[in-house]
Amino acid sequence: MHKFAEKIVQVFQRYVPEPLAFGLLMTLVAIGLCWLATPSTPIEIVRAWGDGLSALLSFIAQVCLTILFAFTLAHLDPIPKYLQKLAGVPQTPGQAYMFCVLFTGLICLFAWPLGTIVGGLMARQVALSCAARGLKVHYPLLGGAAFSGFVVWHMGYTATAPLMVATPGNALESLIGAVIPVTQTILHPQNLLTIAGTLALLMWLAPRLEPQSVEPIANNISDEADNAALTEETQTQSVASLIENKRWLTTAAGLLLGGYLVHWFANNGLQLDLNVVNWSFLTLCLLLAPSARKLSEVMMEGGRAIVPTLMQYPIYGGIMGMMLGTGLVAQIAAWFAANASAQTLPFLAFLSGGLINLFVPSGGAQWAVQGPAFIEAAQQLGTPVELIVMGVAYGDQWTNIIHPFVVIPLLIMTGLKANQVLAYSFILFLLATVPLAASLLWAGFTF
């Protein structure tokens, strides 16, 4: 296992570029595929690419706010102390890798937007905690282990496709003929067992990937300023200082925003989306900040962390625009659906979802385009539609943990390079294939 892991790490270090270069390379690949596999002209492909550049703007803003607020919250006292205490739970290097897998897995099952962000924060804190206690851990493996926990996000509380088909009036309800309750998808016993089995296997493998010689953790992640509690400074007493350097203003704003969230949850139930997650984080930031001035200073530091997202996400929006606008995604889905039997259709939906996710890393957009072809095939073959929903969901989350687009927030939080993290998450991705595929094949042959 050590030799295999070393070979994979060497391959990724030599051939896998950073996310920006990878995104630009994927753009060229997508252009070639659209040109060769669809009747679209070069002008139509370029137009679809250009239109797609702005397709993710609202999502980009939401993700940037999530990163900014999570960064800020992690640097406001007493949150760093709590993170350090939780990071001290693992008592051995092996437990540290297992803990990172489990922590991210549990977080993303509850709220997928937090998976890579909070998972990255925890991987960093675990590394620092182990270093302080004299435990030698491999920091890139900690990052890869944390990232691999994201492989179960589409099986949890904020799963896109299962929640869409469970919502009355959804776009595919007329095609399906009814809504599909979550008791038949994410809350089905087989899905819950698959979650447990997948995380257990990843937790078993992660410690076994540790290099035989572990180098000391780089000093660049142990910046003392990161964990320093914010304290009030002595300021000249003026009207301006009473406004910007006192807690009362941020506390009042935090209580106001908190009141709005209480009202929202009271009327909508425990429903989470990126907006609600962001306003929840901002509420905590406002309540914990000692002053508006200090909150602004920490957010200015966190602002540097969102630059990669602002630069790279539009590139994938352009790729998605090409793949959707030229009809290539629908064409891929239709090919898989046409070559399936009633028993293998869920598994082929899984493979199709994983392939399409490499070019369209958006669960909602992927289901909207891929869903109709597989639903029609399921109705013709007699396959339960809920198995198709979970097949697409499993495929979408499956290749997320080898995607340079998805890993960006975790890289920001850990300071690691993409090829360092993806080398280990790729090996864990190979193992995750087994329980995910086996669960769908079992369901397909026993329904």
Side-chain angles (χ1 to χ4, degrees), residues 149-166:
F150 196 67
V151 78
V152 297
W153 83 265
H154 217 145
M155 305 160 82
Y157 180 70
T158 51
T160 304
L163 293 182
M164 280 186 174
V165 297

Side-chain angles (χ1 to χ4, degrees), residues 319-342:
I319 295 172
M320 186 173 72
M322 274 191 292
M323 300 290 286
L324 298 177
T326 61
L328 183 57
V329 170
Q331 192 171 313
I332 293 172
W335 184 88
F336 275 97
N339 289 276
S341 66

Side-chain angles (χ1 to χ4, degrees), residues 347 350 394 432-442:
F347 175 67
F350 165 71
Y394 284 17
T433 307
V434 176
L436 295 175
S439 177
L440 292 168
L441 287 170
W442 173 266

Side-chain angles (χ1 to χ4, degrees), residues 96-430:
Y97 305 125
M98 296 170 70
F99 179 80
C100 286
V101 173
L102 181 62
F103 181 83
T104 302
L106 295 178
I107 289 294
C108 70
L109 282 172
F110 178 69
W112 71 261
L114 305 184
T116 54
I117 297 170
V118 180
L121 284 172
M122 184 51 65
R124 186 178 187 280
Q125 288 297 331
V126 168
L128 292 172
S129 176
C130 288
R133 289 177 288 160
L135 298 176
K136 290 186 177 181
V137 293
H138 190 56
Y139 190 36
L141 178 53
L142 281 177
F147 188 42
S148 72
F150 196 67
V151 78
V152 297
W153 83 265
H154 217 145
M155 305 160 82
Y157 180 70
T158 51
T160 304
L163 293 182
M164 280 186 174
V165 297
T167 304
N170 70 82
L172 297 181
E173 182 179 357
S174 58
L175 181 60
I176 298 173
V179 297
I180 300 176
V182 293
T183 54
Q184 296 180 28
T185 54
I186 57 176
L187 295 182
H188 192 279
Q190 184 167 337
N191 183 62
L192 300 178
L193 287 173
T194 305
I195 292 171
T198 302
L199 290 178
L201 281 174
L202 296 183
M203 292 171 66
W204 170 81
L205 179 61
R208 288 163 172 78
L209 300 180
E210 184 182 62
Q212 292 180 331
S213 59
V214 178
E215 298 180 358
I217 294 174
N219 292 328
N220 62 357
I221 73 162
S222 59
D223 185 359
E224 293 180 359
D226 283 347
N227 295 323
L230 295 175
T231 57
E232 289 286 356
E233 298 178 2
T234 303
Q235 300 288 334
T236 303
Q237 293 298 313
S238 64
V239 174
S241 67
L242 289 175
I243 294 174
E244 67 183 23
N245 294 305
K246 299 299 180 181
R247 186 182 288 272
W248 66 269
L249 186 59
T250 52
T251 300
L255 292 174
L256 181 64
L257 187 52
Y260 164 76
L261 290 174
V262 170
H263 174 75
W264 193 92
F265 283 121
N267 285 274
N268 297 279
L270 192 60
Q271 297 183 24
L272 292 177
D273 58 24
L274 274 171
N275 290 328
V276 174
V277 168
N278 285 337
W279 305 144
S280 299
F281 271 20
L282 180 56
T283 298
L284 293 174
C285 290
L286 290 167
L287 293 176
L288 293 176
S291 67
R293 180 173 177 269
K294 289 296 182 181
L295 181 60
S296 295
E297 290 176 355
V298 179
M299 285 190 171
M300 287 292 289
E301 289 297 314
R304 296 179 299 178
I306 66 176
V307 173
T309 302
L310 288 171
M311 180 62 194
Q312 296 170 41
Y313 274 40
I315 293 174
Y316 287 95
I319 295 172
M320 186 173 72
M322 274 191 292
M323 300 290 286
L324 298 177
T326 61
L328 183 57
V329 170
Q331 192 171 313
I332 293 172
W335 184 88
F336 275 97
N339 289 276
S341 66
Q343 290 73 31
T344 61
L345 188 62
F347 175 67
L348 290 181
F350 165 71
L351 295 180
S352 172
L355 175 62
I356 291 173
N357 182 63
L358 294 174
F359 296 92
V360 185
S362 168
Q366 187 174 335
W367 172 248
V369 177
Q370 189 177 356
F374 275 92
I375 289 172
E376 290 180 1
Q379 291 173 337
Q380 293 174 6
L381 297 171
T383 306
V385 175
E386 56 266 25
L387 296 184
I388 301 307
V389 175
M390 297 312 295
V392 174
Y394 284 17
D396 172 57
Q397 67 184 10
W398 175 47
T399 49
N400 271 337
I401 64 169
I402 58 171
H403 206 305
F405 170 82
V406 182
V407 78
I408 290 172
L410 184 135
L411 301 180
I412 293 170
M413 296 301 165
T414 59
L416 290 166
K417 295 182 178 179
N419 54 18
Q420 291 178 302
V421 173
L422 294 176
Y424 290 104
S425 67
F426 175 77
I427 302 173
L428 294 165
F429 153 83
L430 295 177

